[in-house]
Amino acid sequence: MTRHDFTERDIHMALDGELPEEERAGFQSWLEGNPEMKARSLRFEADRARLRDTFAGVLHEPVPHALAGLVTGEAKTRSAAAPRWRMAAAAALLLALGAGGGYLAGVGGLGAEAQSEEELAEDAIAAHTIYAAEQRHAVEVGANDKDHLLGWLSKRLGLTLIAPDLTAEGFQLVGGRLLPAGQKTAALLLYEDAKGDRISIYVTAEGAGKAKGIYSDEAGEASAIYWLDKGWGCAVVGTLPREQLLDVGRKAYRQLLAGAGMA
Amino acid sequence: MDDRRAAILAEIPRLRRYARALLRDRDSADDLVQDCLERALARMDNWRTGDNPRRWLFTIMHHLFVDQTRKTKRRAEVVMLTLDDSEALSSPAEQADSVASREIMDALQTLSPERRAALVIVGIEGFSYAEAATMLGIPAGTLMSRVARGREELRGLLDDVARRSAIRVVER
């Protein structure tokens, strides 16, 4: 049974996907028989496309830090005093990172050093975003050729690089690759857990800076735990819950330093 | 960051788009999103976990938008009167928008807040009538007629703009 008394109301319903399936064919032939209604339908559709196009770009704009930080707890609310729980969360984070030397990105006093740590974290997140999403070409050298991988990356970076053992944390080495980092080179080691969640360890030979912290990109998807110390720049990047990423990151960093004889 | 916060974070781009379509001005729109997030975070218990937070967040934002438009009705009238001079008034950020985009943004701002919200939430955000009616807190029939009238009005406004630009071209 199809209805024959279609009206302009049905044009809107059809456009919005609200016309019942069994009425669509009837509606279409009604439109064909009513050029005026058909023109109107096309016009509404075109206007809607214009509307959508006009605002489509908003989805791709970087999310302002004031908004993303509000949710992650890194930015304050606009009201003068930050709620108590947020202060507590920030304090807990500082404790988790350990005392001395480091400070959180985005919290005051960002100097020239902060520039390089931000760069380190941003580069590490960018590399992770690109390569962790790759299934077949995520790494240049796989874990099955680990000695070669580490020898090669160590040589190119001018560091003694080991691949931290994160088995206890549920992560296995997938492999690694060499990346450009400004004028220098960086190494990326990619790990994966049983669920297919990936984290990456990004290492570069940095200057004399000393800093550590957590950094989230503006889209807020991946976070980096980073250290700048002893001529190393190291960032552990992933989309894991922050506590877990902190835990894995610290274990990885300790092993990296030990492996290079610096711990 | 817990899963609920991550889920809220993921909705920010959509909230920003809805706010931009409602208010046009980028800063005002982001302020609205910020208010919405603050309120949502303070009332996290109202969100049934497991549900996608989108509808919950859109509902909160819509309530804030309605409150705000009540307070600033006069400003809306000013926007309407200056429709013709939009190019001279546009801020540097808006100058990057194409003429066609600006025309449709102006026209959208001329609609009443009720029609604008209905049209945007269905036409741009793609919610069903039932979802949209729930979020806006109105019966489905009312929602539907707001969408239909909003579209009609928008069409008329865009035709007016087209006619005026045609006259301008002839005058030159």
Side-chain angles (χ1 to χ4, degrees):
Chain A
M1 258 310 275
T2 52
R3 234 169 54 176
H4 295 284
D5 53 338
F6 289 103
T7 66
E8 207 177 323
R9 191 182 164 89
D10 296 294
I11 293 178
H12 296 286
M13 291 187 71
L15 194 56
D16 297 322
E18 298 279 346
L19 205 63
E21 178 87 51
E22 67 273 20
E23 287 182 22
R24 283 181 206 160
F27 172 74
Q28 208 52 45
S29 44
W30 174 76
L31 265 195
E32 297 305 327
N34 289 272
E36 198 190 328
M37 287 295 131
K38 188 174 182 187
R40 184 155 303 182
S41 167
L42 291 172
R43 172 60 195 272
F44 285 148
E45 201 174 342
D47 284 353
R48 183 177 66 176
R50 252 180 99 177
L51 266 180
R52 286 182 174 173
D53 288 348
T54 296
F55 293 99
V58 180
L59 291 186
H60 305 296
E61 289 175 9
V63 172
H65 181 72
L67 299 179
L70 200 61
V71 180
T72 57
E74 284 162 333
K76 288 183 180 162
T77 49
R78 249 175 318 179
S79 49
R84 214 167 278 254
W85 63 263
R86 192 163 291 136
M87 305 284 265
L93 203 56
L94 280 170
L95 279 176
L97 281 165
Y103 42 79
L104 287 167
V107 182
L110 300 179
E113 237 173 56
Q115 185 74 34
S116 67
E117 63 185 82
E118 263 186 33
E119 263 175 36
L120 168 73
E122 278 174 4
D123 290 348
I125 289 176
H128 178 81
T129 307
I130 293 169
Y131 294 112
E134 281 284 340
Q135 280 312 314
R136 292 181 56 193
H137 307 292
V139 296
E140 285 172 300
V141 180
N144 52 357
D145 209 356
K146 189 168 137 188
D147 291 343
H148 167 64
L149 169 71
L150 296 170
W152 167 54
L153 291 175
S154 295
K155 195 172 153 200
R156 293 305 305 270
L157 262 68
L159 298 164
T160 309
L161 186 70
I162 59 121
D165 179 359
L166 301 173
T167 315
E169 284 68 43
F171 285 92
Q172 297 294 337
L173 182 70
V174 176
R177 59 167 60 238
L178 186 70
L179 297 167
Q183 300 299 313
K184 292 174 290 189
T185 49
L188 180 96
L189 296 176
L190 191 71
Y191 287 77
E192 191 174 60
D193 70 5
K195 286 181 295 180
D197 279 340
R198 286 174 164 183
I199 55 169
S200 52
I201 300 178
Y202 180 94
V203 178
T204 178
E206 281 288 334
K210 189 171 165 73
K212 57 185 158 187
I214 294 188
Y215 188 92
S216 291
D217 65 343
E218 285 190 313
E221 280 161 10
S223 298
I225 318 286
Y226 63 83
W227 291 263
L228 273 182
D229 199 9
K230 299 177 178 145
W232 285 63
C234 170
V236 179
V237 185
T239 51
L240 300 176
R242 180 155 294 179
E243 297 307 317
Q244 196 188 344
L245 189 64
L246 260 172
D247 182 50
V248 177
R250 272 199 308 256
K251 285 184 176 130
Y253 184 60
R254 230 171 273 147
Q255 289 184 45
L256 279 171
L257 286 184
M262 289 192 289
Chain B
M1 186 172 44
D2 65 31
D3 290 348
R4 296 193 304 172
R5 280 173 182 267
I8 293 173
L9 202 59
E11 292 304 325
I12 294 180
R14 293 279 301 249
L15 290 170
R16 291 184 79 222
R17 179 173 65 177
Y18 180 46
R20 195 81 61 86
L22 288 177
L23 296 171
R24 174 167 190 172
D25 175 69
R26 187 191 167 116
D27 291 344
S28 311
D30 280 346
D31 280 355
L32 180 63
V33 176
Q34 186 158 355
D35 285 347
C36 169
L37 293 172
E38 287 186 12
R39 187 171 287 198
L41 292 168
R43 299 178 181 183
M44 206 99 109
D45 293 341
N46 291 0
W47 167 32
R48 281 172 301 162
T49 42
D51 272 5
N52 181 307
R54 184 171 296 163
R55 277 182 284 174
W56 176 61
L57 290 167
F58 270 77
T59 307
I60 294 174
M61 196 153 82
H62 182 74
H63 286 308
L64 290 167
F65 168 68
V66 170
D67 289 351
Q68 185 176 324
T69 47
R70 281 196 194 118
K71 286 179 206 149
T72 56
K73 261 216 162 112
R74 285 190 183 173
R75 249 180 61 196
E77 281 156 25
V78 174
V79 170
M80 226 167 87
L81 291 172
T82 55
L83 193 61
D84 246 354
D85 301 317
S86 57
E87 281 182 43
L89 286 172
S90 62
S91 64
E94 285 169 345
Q95 279 160 13
D97 298 320
S98 70
V99 176
S101 293
R102 262 182 280 147
E103 277 172 9
I104 200 150
M105 285 193 245
D106 285 335
L108 194 60
Q109 288 305 308
T110 310
L111 301 186
S112 73
E114 292 81 13
R115 283 185 191 173
R116 198 187 321 151
L119 188 58
V120 169
I121 214 159
V122 169
I124 298 179
E125 297 303 332
F127 288 104
S128 71
Y129 287 171
E131 287 172 323
T134 310
M135 288 186 287
L136 305 193
I138 52 177
T142 309
L143 183 268
M144 215 185 134
S145 62
R146 282 185 190 173
V147 171
R149 289 188 183 144
R151 268 196 193 119
E152 273 299 340
E153 199 182 338
L154 192 73
R155 178 173 68 109
L157 288 161
L158 291 172
D159 286 345
D160 284 349
V161 174
R163 215 171 294 134
R164 279 201 302 268
S165 358
I167 292 168
R168 249 179 256 145
V169 170
V170 171
E171 278 171 352
R172 271 174 207 162

